[in-house]
Amino acid sequence: MTETAKFFAGKTIFVTGATGYLGKVLLERILWQLPVRRVVLLMRPHSASDPEAAVSLRAEQAIFSSSIFNRLRVRHGERFDAFIRDKIQAVAGDLSSPDLGLAAHSLDMLGSEVDFIINLAAEVNFHERLDYAVRSNTQGPHHLLKFATRSRTPILLHVSTAYVSGRRRGPIPEDALRPDVSTHDLMGVANPEPFRTENEIAIAERLGESVERESQTRAARGEFRQSGIVQFRSARITGDDLLDDAAEENRRRWVRDRLSKEGLSRARRFGWIDTYSFTKALGEQLLIKSANGVPIIILRPSIVESTLHQPEPGWIEGFRMSSPVLFGYGQGVLPDFPARRDAIIDFIPADFVVNALLASLTAAPRGGSPKVFQVASGWENPIRWHQLMGYTNNYFRQLPLSGDSGPIVPHDWSYPTSRSFDSWARRRRVMLRMAHAVCEHVDFLPGATRLRDRVALQRTNLKRLESINRLYAGYCGLDCQFQTDNTHQLFRSLPTEDQREFFFDPTAIDWPTYFREIQLPGVRRHVLEKGASKSCTPVAKPAIRLVPEISG
């Protein structure tokens, strides 16, 4: 047994965000290798009548039905369900609520038992409405900290993101963020409005309440109802109930759009990329302000991609992170993209993040300042955009995706500037709008239906391209590298056997092999062809020495 495994023997771990991608990778790793006493999952119930039964069912359906647990199913056979029941307890609660929304008996039980708190929960929509993002990404970690202070002082590990650095350039140190200091403050950019952590939280709450109130006024509700009438053409045909439902949906969409724009505005005003990175930074600052002696670890991964080794090369869930860009390129939907050719794009496999997370808990601070670990590759083993697209181009030329006219052959990117890309997209949008209008007037001609369908598909693809650009453009033009000195030192401090079993040295990743043989085939296998194969058998040679030569 490794020293890391011995450290966790008999311990209880409290985990939030277990239904997410990284949460599943973490749970599988714990259950596969660590002799813990139990793992307690905080989950939001979908039923108020019997919350505990609701979260148990949700855990079964949303977590343990996943193919990531296949090797555990093989190990335990018919006893798999019993093993899960013995090791896992789901409790009903809500990270955004005081006391985590836990019942009194759950608070007492957890307070006396928990050794480690791992916060993976987050609102990861980059453009989420500001008040929702603050509740989850900023106040959620603070509620966990309050819970930790009233228990037997467990270690709190908060998973943040390397992109709390916002638009800063150059080396980004593994330092805790200073409260009441914005990214613009660190960059020397003057702001007419002073930045204060708690003030931003209060502004988000006030904006949420204000916009909700505005949406409920008689005038606003009349406009939402009128929009519903236009949608359905005639209220007499649809009936009042359906019209009311449509009006309410229009109201919610209006509120969401307004608060999403407010989030982007507040974030960019102070130097962050989007609402996600902004509210995650506020969460870190609030933790540091309120630590009160609790041992805190802040783990900052960069862009988390498919697993490199554990539990199999290429395991991933959902069309996430780089997948929309790379597969949009392979499908011909992304003929070009505004990224700097030589910019570093920082990827890290999910199993590296989990291994670093577990190792960091063995070296937790004893109170005082939080310890920060950036789990990233760009500092020690950088990959640049032109290299990534070269590997991707090579992969899709060898194994092309199929379109209506046969295999799709990808073209080289020209790496336009954001301004030239936006100009091209506007011209393309006008052209397709005109083509659509022509199709409407000549629908009586032979072949008009086929032409109209092609134009509709191109308009859909353009909307998708513009959506991807809005989400990722802010990350594609960054000129920074995340320093990983603490993480490097942590890895070197582990005993040799632990380094092998909990490997997270990014210098060992061979990027061409990772993308061509692991990442892209993994997305194809687990996302695009989901259901065709549930195997957890490795399909490619790992891009890492599984038993690396490790010097003392």
Side-chain angles (χ1 to χ4, degrees), residues 300-352:
R300 294 183 190 145
S302 57
I303 300 171
V304 182
E305 290 291 355
S306 61
T307 56
L308 192 145
H309 180 213
Q310 300 275 8
E312 64 160 304
W315 192 85
I316 194 167
E317 183 178 64
F319 214 50
R320 60 196 313 280
M321 300 307 175
S322 72
S323 300
V325 174
L326 301 185
F327 276 83
Y329 172 70
Q331 292 167 339
V333 176
L334 232 66
D336 222 328
F337 200 70
R340 289 193 306 111
R341 176 183 174 83
D342 292 323
I344 293 172
I345 182 76
D346 201 307
F347 295 116
I348 196 74
D351 49 337
F352 277 39

Side-chain angles (χ1 to χ4, degrees), residues 87-103:
K87 290 293 184 180
I88 301 292
Q89 179 183 1
V91 295
D94 187 344
L95 186 65
S96 64
S97 300
D99 288 337
L100 309 180
L102 290 169

Side-chain angles (χ1 to χ4, degrees), residues 12 38 40 89 91 104-114:
T12 296
R38 152 161 78 169
V40 181
Q89 179 183 1
V91 295
H105 69 277
S106 295
L107 273 174
D108 293 339
M109 179 273 292
L110 290 171
S112 63
E113 181 183 332
V114 167

Side-chain angles (χ1 to χ4, degrees), residues 222-235 237-238 242-251 253:
E223 290 182 14
F224 301 139
R225 189 175 180 85
Q226 184 61 38
S227 297
I229 292 173
V230 172
Q231 287 172 270
F232 285 112
R233 302 295 180 185
S234 172
I237 295 175
T238 62
L242 286 176
L243 184 56
D244 288 343
D245 290 344
E248 175 60 17
E249 178 57 33
N250 289 336
R251 186 194 71 81
R253 186 182 302 113

